[in-house]
C-alpha cells in the first residue's frame, strides 16, 4: 500500500510539474544529465582502484581517515590513500562488516534482512561492478558518502539479537559499545585535526600566492 500511494503521488506531482513548467518535468533532462554528468565518473575495472574500495565503502565512512591536499590548484582535500589505517581502525571496520555478514546469514529468511540488504548490495553494484566514482577515485567524492551504512549497523544488530547464548550476546553487545566509543573518539580527534590541516593549508596557499 505504501508503494502504491508513493507511485500515485509521484505521478500526480509529475503531472502538476508538467502543467506548470511548460511541459517540462524532472524526467526531461534525466537521461542527458546522467549520461553527461554522472556516468562521466564511471571507470572500468582496475586492480589499483578496486583494491582500496573496501576501505572507502565500509571503513572510511565510519572512522574518519586522515586527509591530504591532493590538488592545490582547486584546493581539493580527500582521504590520504597512501597512509595505511591504524590497527584499531582495521579491527573496528572488519569487525562491523563481519557482524553485518553474519546478520545476513542468520536472518536470510527474514524480510527485514532482505529489505536492508538492498542498500549495501546496490552500493556494491554501483561502485564495484559499474565502477561509478572510480574515475574520481583519488578524490573519493562518491564512495566516501556511505549513505547505506545504517543498513550495515542494523544487519549487525540482527545477528546480535538472534544469538541465543546470553553470555555471547553480552560479549557482542560490549563489542558494539566499544566500537561506538572508539568511533566517537576517533572521529572527534580526526575532525579537529582535519579542520586544523585545512586551515593551515589555506594559509600556506595564500602565502604562496602573495
Amino acid at each position: 500500500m505504501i508503494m502504491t500511494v508513493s507511485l500515485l503521488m509521484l505521478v500526480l506531482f509529475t503531472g502538476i510539474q508538467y502543467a506548470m513548467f511548460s511541459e517540462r518535468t524532472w524526467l526531461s533532462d534525466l537521461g542527458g544529465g546522467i549520461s553527461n554528468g554522472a556516468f562521466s565518473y564511471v571507470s572500468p575495472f582496475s586492480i589499483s582502484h578496486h583494491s582500496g574500495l573496501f576501505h572507502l565503502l565500509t571503513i572510511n565512512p565510519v572512522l574518519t581517515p586522515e586527509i591530504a591536499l591532493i590538488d592545490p590548484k582547486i584546493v581539493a582535500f580527500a582521504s590520504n590513500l597512501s597512509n595505511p589505517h591504524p590497527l584499531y581502525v582495521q579491527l573496528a571496520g572488519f569487525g562491523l562488516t563481519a557482524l553485518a555478514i553474519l546478520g545476513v546469514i542468520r536472518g536470510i529468511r527474514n524480510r527485514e534482512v532482505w529489505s536492508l540488504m538492498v542498500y549495501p548490495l546496490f552500493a556494491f553494484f554501483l561502485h564495484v561492478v559499474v565502477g561509478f566514482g572510480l574515475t574520481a577515485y583519488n578524490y573519493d567524492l562518491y564512495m566516501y558518502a556511505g549513505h547505506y551504512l545504517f543498513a550495515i549497523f542494523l544487519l549487525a544488530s540482527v545477528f546480535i539479537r538472534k544469538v541465543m547464548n546470553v553470555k555471547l550476546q553480552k560479549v557482542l553487545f560490549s563489542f558494539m559499545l566499544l566500537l561506538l566509543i572508539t568511533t566517537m573518539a576517533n572521529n572527534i580527534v580526526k575532525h579537529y585535526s582535519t579542520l586544523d590541516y585545512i586551515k593551515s593549508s589555506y594559509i600556506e596557499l595564500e602565502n604562496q600566492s602573495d
Side-chain angles (χ1 to χ4, degrees):
M1 183 176 292
I2 293 173
M3 292 177 63
T4 302
V5 172
S6 299
L7 287 173
L8 290 174
M9 289 178 64
L10 178 63
V11 172
L12 173 64
F13 285 112
T14 302
I16 294 173
Q17 191 180 36
Y18 181 84
M20 293 181 62
F21 298 102
S22 303
E23 300 182 357
R24 292 185 63 85
T25 68
W26 61 277
L27 292 169
S28 303
D29 299 320
L30 182 62
I34 291 177
S35 59
N36 296 329
F39 280 117
S40 65
Y41 293 104
V42 172
S43 177
F45 179 83
S46 168
I47 294 178
S48 61
H49 290 167
H50 280 70
S51 60
L53 277 182
F54 175 80
H55 290 86
L56 290 178
L57 291 172
T58 58
I59 296 180
N60 282 12
V62 179
L63 292 142
T64 304
E66 291 188 10
I67 68 166
L69 177 61
I70 61 173
D71 195 340
K73 295 180 181 178
I74 59 174
V75 196
F77 296 92
S79 300
N80 188 356
L81 300 175
S82 64
N83 189 35
H85 289 75
L87 179 60
Y88 75 90
V89 171
Q90 300 278 21
L91 291 175
F94 279 99
L96 177 63
T97 304
L99 286 176
I101 294 173
L102 290 172
V104 171
I105 296 173
R106 191 66 186 272
I108 195 67
R109 297 182 179 180
N110 194 315
R111 284 182 293 180
E112 174 193 1
V113 170
W114 278 97
S115 64
L116 290 172
M117 283 172 55
V118 171
Y119 296 94
L121 285 178
F122 177 77
F124 177 87
F125 173 79
L126 184 66
H127 296 300
V128 178
V129 179
V130 177
F132 185 77
L134 288 183
T135 300
Y137 176 80
N138 290 331
Y139 297 89
D140 58 44
L141 294 174
Y142 296 94
M143 292 169 281
Y144 183 77
H147 303 298
Y148 47 87
L149 280 175
F150 73 95
I152 302 295
F153 282 92
L154 291 175
L155 288 171
S157 70
V158 168
F159 175 72
I160 296 175
R161 292 201 316 266
K162 289 183 176 294
V163 171
M164 303 303 295
N165 188 301
V166 177
K167 290 184 178 180
L168 179 58
Q169 191 177 59
K170 289 181 178 179
V171 170
L172 292 174
F173 178 79
S174 299
F175 172 75
M176 288 297 292
L177 185 61
L178 179 62
L179 174 60
L180 174 63
I181 296 172
T182 303
T183 302
M184 182 176 63
N186 176 87
N187 292 347
I188 290 173
V189 172
K190 289 295 184 182
H191 284 182
Y192 273 107
S193 63
T194 295
L195 292 174
D196 289 339
Y197 178 75
I198 293 173
K199 182 179 179 180
S200 61
S201 298
Y202 268 101
I203 293 173
E204 184 177 346
L205 289 172
E206 289 176 0
N207 292 336
Q208 290 177 359
S209 62
D210 293 339

